[in-house]
Each structure stands twice: as C-alpha cells, then as structure tokens.
Amino acid sequence: MLVDQQWPEGSNADPDAARERYKADMQASRGAVRNLFRAELSVAHMGLAITIIASVLAGAAWSPRTGVIIAGSFAALFVVALAVTLLADSRGRDAVRAAYKFTFGWANWITP
C-alpha cells in the first residue's frame, strides 16, 4: 500500500526546497530555546547566591544533610550541563560559562 503525500509544492515536489524549509524551522526552534535559557552572568551569580543561602537555611532549619542534598543537586546539574556542553564541541572557559549560566540562570525568572 503506497501512501500519497501531499506537498505544498504540489505533485512536482522539490526535495531541496523541503530540506531548506526544515532547516529554517529547526533554526527558529533552536533560537526560541536559546532565548528561553539565555541569562546574563550576573543573574547566574545571583542564582548561585540564592542556592547557597537556601542550602544553608535548609541545613539549619532541618538537618545538615538536607542542605548538602540541595547543594549536591545543583552541583550534579552543573556537572551534567558541563558534560553536555563539552559533547556539543564547546571547550574550556566557554563550556564552563555555558554550564554555569544554564545551572544558575533560573534566577532570571524570579528577578524583575
């Protein structure tokens, strides 16, 4: 059973045009994700400070183990983000900066 595909170009579909549309759509999608996770370094510093304060307060309020779990979770997230960044061909300081911004850039959503 052969399935007929309907192309926007009609029966004389151009595979190159379809490939170009696909590439343009993927670039737009990746750009939207980049804008979602884009954060300044100062905002990431604020996220780190909030994480440290929350870890210390949780450790004092409940138990030191709770504070270590919170800090360890963010450390693990940073290591995973760094590994992904290194696999994506970023090297050195750029890879560390990208992983740092990804891990602690969430402060951008809670600051005005």
Side-chain angles (χ1 to χ4, degrees):
M1 179 174 165
L2 188 62
V3 177
D4 290 330
Q5 291 184 349
Q6 294 185 3
W7 296 86
E9 293 88 8
S11 60
N12 296 326
D14 183 15
D16 292 330
R19 189 173 299 112
E20 290 303 318
R21 273 196 321 275
Y22 173 77
K23 287 180 182 178
D25 290 344
M26 288 301 294
Q27 284 180 336
S29 175
R30 289 180 182 143
V33 170
R34 272 193 303 274
N35 284 335
L36 178 66
F37 289 112
R38 182 167 287 152
E40 297 295 323
L41 199 55
S42 60
V43 172
H45 291 327
M46 187 180 311
L48 176 62
I50 292 170
T51 302
I52 291 170
I53 291 168
S55 297
V56 169
L57 289 177
W62 289 290
S63 70
R65 187 172 70 159
T66 305
V68 170
I69 288 172
I70 292 171
S73 298
F74 278 96
L77 177 62
F78 176 77
V79 169
V80 169
L82 183 60
V84 169
T85 307
L86 289 172
L87 289 174
D89 290 335
S90 290
R91 296 287 178 235
R93 191 171 288 190
D94 291 335
V96 173
R97 185 176 295 129
Y100 181 73
K101 285 181 179 182
F102 178 80
T103 304
F104 299 107
W106 53 265
N108 198 22
W109 299 333
I110 61 171
T111 58

